Amino acid sequence: QVQLVESGGGLVQPGGSLRLSCAASGGTFSSYTMGWFRQAPGKEREFVATIRWTGPSTYYKDYADSVKGRFTITRDNAKNTVYLQMNSLRPEDTAVYYCNAHRTIGRRTEYWGQGTQVTVSS
């Protein structure tokens, strides 16, 4: 069982920056593909970014079109933590951000954090 705990959310003005963190425990962190999703009020949860460790100092990353060039996902396998650096924030980035971990070894297993609120407003 993997536990995920997000932190770093808050209120920020448009154009500002935040860094979200997601600390994982209870599993082999490096074997999981990690991701960030978000859910705005009245909307479905949507993909934001994902990162998968593919070898020594190499990673596969992907981003939603809406955040490309503004958000950066990284991971520190030694600290069992994944980060989301968010720059040039816009009001439409306002949402609850969720950390996700998944892997497929025989069968798919998936875990979610409890979420952290990000509000972009002046």
Side-chain angles (χ1 to χ4, degrees):
Q1 188 77 7
V2 174
Q3 293 81 43
L4 303 173
V5 179
E6 301 100 332
S7 61
L11 173 64
V12 63
Q13 292 186 344
S17 298
L18 280 176
R19 188 176 82 154
L20 305 183
S21 299
C22 172
S25 61
T28 306
F29 180 74
S30 60
S31 70
Y32 285 85
T33 296
M34 302 300 297
W36 289 95
F37 290 72
R38 67 186 182 186
Q39 188 167 18
K43 294 187 177 181
E44 293 187 354
R45 190 173 298 188
E46 65 176 6
F47 165 76
V48 175
T50 189
I51 184 168
R52 183 175 73 245
W53 184 60
T54 57
S57 300
T58 60
Y59 303 91
Y60 166 81
K61 300 182 183 182
D62 194 19
Y63 299 91
D65 288 344
S66 58
V67 307
K68 281 182 181 176
R70 300 189 298 123
F71 291 10
T72 302
I73 188 170
T74 57
R75 65 190 293 164
D76 185 334
N77 286 342
K79 295 183 178 179
N80 291 355
T81 302
V82 63
Y83 305 96
L84 185 68
Q85 178 67 42
M86 305 186 294
N87 299 328
S88 303
L89 283 162
R90 305 167 180 169
E92 53 264 40
D93 295 318
T94 295
V96 178
Y97 283 70
Y98 296 91
C99 181
N100 173 275
H102 71 270
R103 70 179 185 181
T104 300
I105 300 179
R107 65 180 180 90
R108 179 182 174 92
T109 55
E110 186 170 32
Y111 303 94
W112 293 91
Q114 83 287 351
T116 185
Q117 176 71 46
V118 172
T119 302
V120 185
S121 175
S122 54

